[in-house]
Amino acid sequence: MFRSAKYGPNVRPAARLNRRRGSRPMTAMNRSARLTLLDVSRQRPLGVQAPRVFLLPLIARLMCLSAASLLTALGCVGSRPAPTASVSDPSEEPLNIVLLYADDWRHDTLGCAGNPIVETPRLDQLARDGVRFTRNAVTTSICGVSRATLLTGQWMSRHGNRGFAMFATPWSETFPAQLRTHGYWVGHVGKWHNGKFPAAEYDSPASALANGTHWMEQPGITQPNGTRIHVTEKNERDAIEFLRARPNDKPFCLTVAFFAAHAEDGNKAQYLPQPASMALYRDAIVPVPPTANDAAFRALPPFLASDRNEGRNRWKWRFDTPERYQESMKNYYRLASEVDATCGRVIDELRAQGVLDRTLVIFTTDNGYFHGEHGLADKWYPFEESIRVPLIVWDPRMSSAQRGTTSDARTLNVDLAPTILAAARIKPPAGMQGHDIAPLYLDAHSPAWRSEFYYEHPMLTSRDFIPASEAVVRDRWKYIFWPDWGVEQLFDLERDPREERDLARDAAYAAQLEAMRDALTRLRAEAK
């Protein structure tokens, strides 16, 4: 099963699921903060029904449900054992798909991942009722390229989008096209970032957003501050509209592509949450990472430890004083909590419609994010903070014993397209390079899985601004190559998880360096 040349010789059985809940003790501060975000309904556990705005439509839908569906709608996601049919069972019904896709959000910006500040109760609940992949990563850490990889299941080297243009892979080979060809009602709301949005290829209204602002002008919608609407609120309205307007006789797939928690690059404030969120984290002190200092910055290769480096430029926008650091991180976390609340409302709508127990729900993001580590901001570079992203999967096929687990298998964003197609019982196109991750949490015996992967990122603007990078990432070792500068780095991730000690010029590691060079050559060729 899944034994592919793409994985190379370093294929090992995937790590077993760990029975870890991952929640942290609640302090008086964060207990109080939860009650202040927008309204209490956004913070409730998955099994508690939604009050307020959507109550009347919810009641109307519940009146039309069968008794069995009504019990499902009112119950907790994990309240009864899910079907345990094998992925290969020919009688299995194709699942609906909901992909919750946030922006600029690294792996530990979740309460369930141990973050001591940010409040993400709805996503934490999703993890408690599903599986969370703790070492999930992206193959290119930038918005446009990563989204092309999501759609195509391919590395940048194959799909050809090296920035923000449309990818070269035929649209017919993307997961939305495949689903639509096989009878799915397919929608996309929110950020696109791959050239012009192909509205004719989707069933949803033209609600993809090209803007890079948190507050939008929305004619016809009156807000307390005029005609503006927050982009996350717009994402939520569009998602709920799609779910309520869809035909009931077709399976569906909805991608909710949030702009948050991306910064508003042209705005001095950078992160602009909704007013109702401002009480969150007001009295908190966000911990400063151990490597967010000048010494760590100066330890970088000279072309990174430079004011011409865009990662350093954006650090000055957000983190250059203790006061600005606290303000930026609190507003960033407020945006994340708003996304969390909207994810909860989408899940509530699925439950109210009686379809949650037939829907695969995935939460992930397009790339990681520096919170000042190495004296940097944003993403792009192949350090851990930039390339590791969250992945939570709620799958109705999971048994009760499989829920609330974590997996340290090396999953990638390239795996999501084939995973979605497998849940729809559609064979992925031959050009897809990722693999279905469902056997990692559904199968009784762990399948063979990758133990290394290839990372690539193009040069943007100039080699001083954002230099190109490549990397080979393994459990213990990471090799980074900066082709524009001919510079190598080697890190022992077991002994040096913060990537502070570069071993590339240490003679004691010459053999390991050479082995990683060989791996880069091999994996680079396989990615094409």
Side-chain angles (χ1 to χ4, degrees), residues 74-206:
L74 293 174
C76 178
V77 173
S79 60
R80 60 188 177 87
T84 56
S86 166
V87 177
S88 60
D89 184 354
S91 65
E92 184 182 333
E93 181 182 358
L95 297 177
N96 305 310
I97 313 292
V98 170
L99 176 61
L100 305 168
Y101 194 64
D103 199 309
D104 281 1
W105 184 316
R106 73 192 209 185
H107 69 103
D108 58 358
T109 304
L110 290 168
C112 60
N115 189 297
I117 302 296
V118 71
E119 293 293 335
T120 54
R122 302 308 302 268
L123 293 172
D124 295 349
Q125 184 68 45
L126 192 68
R128 285 193 293 271
D129 290 312
V131 57
R132 181 170 64 89
F133 290 87
T134 60
R135 295 200 297 182
N136 186 59
V138 296
T139 56
T140 304
S141 183
I142 191 171
C143 306
V145 180
S146 186
R147 290 160 196 272
T149 292
L150 169 71
L151 291 162
T152 64
Q154 297 173 343
W155 265 262
M156 178 185 73
S157 290
R158 182 168 294 186
H159 64 61
N161 177 3
R162 299 177 62 83
F164 309 104
M166 191 61 171
F167 42 82
T169 299
W171 179 258
S172 62
E173 297 178 16
T174 64
F175 84 79
Q178 289 286 308
L179 291 172
R180 203 164 183 236
T181 297
H182 287 80
Y184 272 69
W185 190 258
V186 181
H188 178 104
V189 302
K191 185 171 177 176
W192 180 246
H193 236 35
N194 274 266
K196 183 180 179 181
F197 179 62
E201 306 295 344
Y202 284 91
D203 297 303
S204 56

Side-chain angles (χ1 to χ4, degrees), residues 28 85 94 96 132 240 305 325 400 460 487 496 517:
N96 305 310
R132 181 170 64 89
I240 299 300
Y325 185 87
S400 58
L460 296 178
V487 171
D496 180 25
R517 287 170 178 159

Side-chain angles (χ1 to χ4, degrees), residues 36-100:
T36 64
L37 173 60
L38 304 182
D39 60 46
V40 178
S41 70
R42 291 181 180 242
Q43 311 306 319
R44 67 193 177 282
L46 283 174
V48 180
Q49 280 300 321
R52 209 167 66 96
V53 176
F54 302 129
L55 184 58
L56 293 178
L58 184 153
I59 293 172
R61 285 187 178 275
L62 289 179
M63 292 176 64
C64 298
L65 295 175
S66 67
S69 296
L70 180 61
L71 290 174
T72 299
L74 293 174
C76 178
V77 173
S79 60
R80 60 188 177 87
T84 56
S86 166
V87 177
S88 60
D89 184 354
S91 65
E92 184 182 333
E93 181 182 358
L95 297 177
N96 305 310
I97 313 292
V98 170
L99 176 61
L100 305 168

Side-chain angles (χ1 to χ4, degrees), residues 198-273:
E201 306 295 344
Y202 284 91
D203 297 303
S204 56
S207 57
L209 307 173
N211 72 301
T213 61
H214 293 124
W215 289 96
M216 307 166 53
E217 297 296 326
Q218 183 70 9
I221 298 179
T222 301
Q223 298 295 308
N225 54 359
T227 60
R228 297 192 310 162
I229 183 171
H230 196 273
V231 64
T232 303
E233 181 70 16
K234 171 66 172 168
N235 296 155
E236 180 179 311
R237 292 186 183 199
D238 290 344
I240 299 300
E241 178 184 357
F242 172 85
L243 292 173
R244 292 180 177 176
R246 65 177 178 82
N248 293 325
D249 59 348
K250 286 187 173 185
F252 64 88
C253 174
L254 172 63
T255 299
V256 186
F258 298 95
F259 176 66
H262 195 292
E264 189 170 310
D265 292 337
N267 191 310
K268 184 178 180 180
Q270 292 290 285
Y271 307 103
L272 288 80

